[in-house]
Amino acid sequence: MGPSLLFCPADRPDRFEKAAARADAVILDLEDAVAPEHKGAARDALTGSSLDPVRTIVRLNAFDSGFFADDLVALAHTPYRTVMVAKSESAEQLSGLDRFSVIALCETATGVLAAPSIAALPQVVALMWGAEDLVASLGGTSSRFADGTYRDIARHARSSVLLAAGASGKAAIDAVHVDIADLEGLDAEARDAAASGFAASAVIHPSQVETVRAAFRPTDAELDAARRIVEAAASNGGVFRLDGRMVDGPVVRHAERVLARVRPTMD
């Protein structure tokens, strides 16, 4: 699965095929994108859809939302087995989802603090974080400064979720960039996500897809430098010098990750 994951409201089946065609994976959203009075229609649309299960993720409502149980009933009538659980806050909440591949969305203060134990569950394949719900859970009013950069609390949560995922060998997904027109800001965030170790970024509009793909795709110069490091490492044990730069194990692993990003995966 590639680096660009596109949210699509589950009550808009007319958009399902288009979203799936545009992005590396589509997230059919039963939660925030769907008003309470439309939840039933969204579940009906979900069960009537026929997207590629390998590239389809279903975002379920939060465990304590009152909608979670009905979401699971609907999901049982579909071929989709990768789920994203909104506002995941404990390993106990997710323990019954062992039939699914779970992406835990840690987007509250409780969820971020519980990220290490959540990531340790065998059914959890990835963690994602969310800025807006996080700040709301703290009683705040904005996750970003006026210039568009994240406040420290959001940056801390982002790093915490990435570290928790990495410590358990799971993938991490970066949060959405809500300013759809700000492709420059999205590009900067996605490039930082790729360099920091995130496997993917979620997006909310098709116009954001290619920006994320390009950000995660190494440049020709980066690929050439990475290949030279890996090739030199094969014939030089331990620490060595290349183009005036010290190269050791971590630098080689960085280069290997750059090469791996040619075909990004969440596996």
Side-chain angles (χ1 to χ4, degrees), residues 28-97:
L28 300 181
D29 188 6
L30 291 169
E31 197 223 6
D32 281 346
V34 180
E37 63 270 23
H38 296 154
K39 299 288 188 185
R43 295 188 196 100
D44 290 342
L46 177 71
T47 59
S49 64
S50 56
L51 301 179
D52 178 3
V54 175
R55 297 195 307 111
T56 302
I57 301 162
V58 179
R59 176 157 78 163
L60 308 177
N61 286 278
F63 181 79
D64 59 357
S65 65
F67 301 115
F68 184 78
D70 289 338
D71 290 349
L72 287 182
V73 171
L75 194 63
H77 296 282
T78 75
Y80 310 130
R81 290 298 176 266
T82 302
V83 298
M84 176 182 289
V85 181
K87 299 176 180 66
S88 297
E89 292 193 326
S90 72
E92 289 74 21
Q93 289 179 347
L94 307 178
S95 60
L97 298 177

Side-chain angles (χ1 to χ4, degrees), residues 34 134 240:
V34 180
L134 169 68
F240 61 95

Side-chain angles (χ1 to χ4, degrees), residues 5-20 25-31 33-34 51 57 59 203-205:
L5 315 181
L6 176 61
F7 277 101
C8 180
D11 62 345
R12 293 299 305 270
D14 55 307
R15 298 181 182 178
F16 289 4
E17 294 285 351
K18 293 178 182 178
V26 61
I27 305 170
L28 300 181
D29 188 6
L30 291 169
E31 197 223 6
V34 180
L51 301 179
I57 301 162
R59 176 157 78 163
V203 298
I204 56 174
H205 193 272

Side-chain angles (χ1 to χ4, degrees), residues 4 8 10 15 24 27 34-35 60 111 114 130 132 141 165 211 233 236 251 266:
S4 187
C8 180
R15 298 181 182 178
D24 298 309
I27 305 170
V34 180
L60 308 177
E132 306 313 319
T141 59
T211 297
N236 292 275
V251 175
M266 283 175 54

Side-chain angles (χ1 to χ4, degrees), residues 95-127:
S95 60
L97 298 177
D98 52 357
R99 295 174 296 148
F100 301 97
S101 296
V102 177
I103 299 170
L105 183 43
C106 301
E107 52 184 340
T108 65
T110 301
V112 170
L113 292 178
S117 60
I118 290 172
L121 289 173
Q123 63 266 41
V124 170
V125 297
L127 299 184

